[in-house]
């Protein structure tokens, strides 16, 4: 890991209105995520984690404050450029897997490559290689309904890697998995980080999952409660 910030938030605020009631989800969030780091953003339900994921994944915009990507203020970017960033620089992994049910594992992984303009055969070749690296060589033609939860999440991780993004952003990636399968999935993220080529960001409520990361940012009530390196002696809450 180097000292260059790949993502930096500066005094980020975000609120929502529902039935006329305003909810302040984020309250002046400021932190840096270093290029090549493995960071967990941890906090209880309702702390603002999901809102923060949307902000740093450029799926939503803050009400005020700034989000910097590799030193550039993304508030100056067009919606088209933000969409390009999501497609090329960020790979998303979700708790619900979010696979397309009528597509095979191979087709699910190849699709984002094709959407970036690649030849279909080349896309399927890369997808097959990624799935094989996830131990799914014999599952290429299977649809999501024919796969276990752990297999579906490995397909989702392969899909996140499809366009060789610099950042992997995972939202509760073990939330729908048993503990044994969850550990296997976290080992995949650990190996990706050890390769030295990816910045890994895990959103979680589970301190056991956060323990895999080198850096941890604790979010409570929409604010940064603490920001620590993993080698510091901390007493972690079990949310």
């Amino acid at each position: 890991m180097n000292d260059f910030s790949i993502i930096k938030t500066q005094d980020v605020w975000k609120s929502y209105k529902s039935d006329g009631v305003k909810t302040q989800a984020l309250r002046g969030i400021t932190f840096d995520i270093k290029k090549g780091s493995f960071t967990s953003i941890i906090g209880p339900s309702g702390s603002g984690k999901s809102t923060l994921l949307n902000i740093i994944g450029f799926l939503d915009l803050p009400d005020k404050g700034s989000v910097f990507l590799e030193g550039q203020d993304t508030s100056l970017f067009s919606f088209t450029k933000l969409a390009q960033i999501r497609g090329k620089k960020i790979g998303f992994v979700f708790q619900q897997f979010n696979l397309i049910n009528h597509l095979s594992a191979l087709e699910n992984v190849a699709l984002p490559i094709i959407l970036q303009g690649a030849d279909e055969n080349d896309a399927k070749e890369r997808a097959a290689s990624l799935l094989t690296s996830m131990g799914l060589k014999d599952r290429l033609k299977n649809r999501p309904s024919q796969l276990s939860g752990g297999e579906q999440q490995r397909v989702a991780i392969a899909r996140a890697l499809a366009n060789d993004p610099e950042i992997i952003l995972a939202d509760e990636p073990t939330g729908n998995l048993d503990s044994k399968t969850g550990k296997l999935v976290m080992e995949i993220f650990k190996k990706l980080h050890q390769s030295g080529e990816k910045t890994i960001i895990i959103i979680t409520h589970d301190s056991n999952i956060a323990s895999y990361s080198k850096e941890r940012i604790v979010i409570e009530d929409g604010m940064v409660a603490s920001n620590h390196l993993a080698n510091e002696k901390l007493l972690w809450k079990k949310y």
Side-chain angles (χ1 to χ4, degrees):
M1 186 185 73
N2 57 45
D3 291 329
F4 181 76
S5 293
I6 193 165
I7 292 178
K8 178 180 179 180
T9 66
Q10 185 172 305
D11 195 28
V12 166
W13 293 72
K14 184 67 180 181
S15 63
Y16 296 100
K17 277 189 177 181
S18 178
D19 296 327
V21 178
K22 182 179 179 180
T23 300
Q24 192 69 56
L26 300 179
R27 305 167 183 266
I29 294 283
T30 298
F31 61 73
D32 291 87
I33 293 178
K34 302 300 183 184
K35 185 177 178 67
S37 66
F38 188 166
T39 301
S40 289
I41 298 175
I42 181 172
S45 177
S47 62
K49 301 190 308 300
S50 295
T51 301
L52 184 57
L53 176 143
N54 290 337
I55 296 292
I56 65 176
F58 308 107
L59 296 168
D60 201 357
L61 300 174
D63 295 335
K64 61 178 180 177
S66 301
V67 180
F68 295 86
L69 177 67
E70 297 178 323
Q72 294 184 293
D73 186 348
T74 60
S75 67
L76 304 176
F77 293 176
S78 67
F79 285 107
T80 299
K81 185 168 184 178
L82 289 174
Q84 291 172 342
I85 289 170
R86 290 194 301 271
K88 295 180 179 180
K89 284 187 173 289
I90 303 175
F92 294 91
V93 180
F94 299 98
Q95 178 178 346
Q96 303 293 341
F97 316 134
N98 288 5
L99 300 175
I100 300 174
N101 290 329
H102 67 273
L103 298 183
S104 68
L106 182 69
E107 291 166 337
N108 265 282
V109 178
L111 181 60
I113 308 173
I114 295 170
L115 291 175
Q116 290 297 321
D119 174 78
E120 183 175 347
N121 290 330
D122 291 342
K124 288 184 175 180
E125 183 177 341
R126 174 162 173 77
S129 176
L130 285 167
L131 288 166
T132 298
S133 73
M134 296 289 163
L136 296 171
K137 183 178 180 179
D138 298 327
R139 295 286 189 269
L140 301 186
K141 296 182 179 180
N142 290 74
R143 294 182 180 180
S145 62
Q146 299 169 316
L147 301 171
S148 69
E151 288 171 337
Q152 289 186 65
Q153 194 60 297
R154 280 184 279 161
V155 173
I157 294 171
R159 180 186 58 189
L161 295 169
N163 288 311
D164 195 23
E166 297 176 47
I167 302 165
I168 301 296
L169 186 52
D171 185 16
E172 300 282 6
T174 64
N176 282 343
L177 306 175
D178 60 72
S179 59
K180 181 179 179 180
T181 307
K183 288 179 181 178
L184 292 175
V185 167
M186 290 308 300
E187 285 297 324
I188 292 173
F189 287 117
K190 184 177 178 180
K191 288 179 181 178
L192 284 172
H193 174 250
Q194 289 173 341
S195 73
E197 299 177 355
K198 307 294 180 191
T199 301
I200 312 292
I201 306 170
I202 304 287
I203 308 291
T204 184
H205 69 280
D206 190 339
S207 57
N208 291 323
I209 298 303
S211 69
Y212 282 85
S213 64
K214 299 295 184 181
E215 291 80 32
R216 301 166 195 163
I217 299 168
V218 179
I219 303 294
E220 292 182 355
D221 299 321
M223 299 180 287
V224 175
S226 60
N227 189 343
H228 297 280
L229 293 174
N231 59 9
E232 295 183 21
K233 294 182 179 179
L234 299 172
L235 179 62
W236 289 96
K237 296 178 181 179
K238 179 68 174 179
Y239 289 115

